[in-house]
Amino acid sequence: MPPKAAAKPKAAPAHPKYDVMVKAAIVALKERTGSSVPAITKYLGANYTLPDNYKKTLSTQLKKLVAS
């Protein structure tokens, strides 16, 4: 069998980590009672270059942030 080709390293994303972006969104939205998920999603979509599946990834990351 031929040897396996070396795996290419993944390219770094063109945006900061999700926890940094979420914190920036909450601070920028300045809502007294907290920011809703749709508001955070809209802010991130408008201010960052994100992949097409960012809504699902954001949902997962928000669950992780709440648990921590």
Side-chain angles (χ1 to χ4, degrees):
M1 289 191 346
K4 290 185 179 180
K8 292 181 182 178
K10 286 188 176 182
H15 56 80
K17 292 186 176 187
Y18 278 91
D19 60 339
V20 173
M21 292 190 295
V22 169
K23 289 175 188 175
I26 292 170
V27 170
L29 291 171
K30 297 181 183 176
E31 296 176 359
R32 281 185 43 187
T33 57
S35 301
S36 65
V37 174
I40 293 171
T41 303
K42 185 176 178 181
Y43 179 86
L44 294 183
N47 293 300
Y48 296 102
T49 303
L50 299 169
D52 293 336
N53 67 340
Y54 81 94
K55 291 180 182 179
K56 178 64 177 168
T57 307
L58 176 63
S59 174
T60 304
Q61 293 298 322
L62 287 173
K63 288 177 186 175
K64 283 184 181 178
L65 287 171
V66 169
S68 64

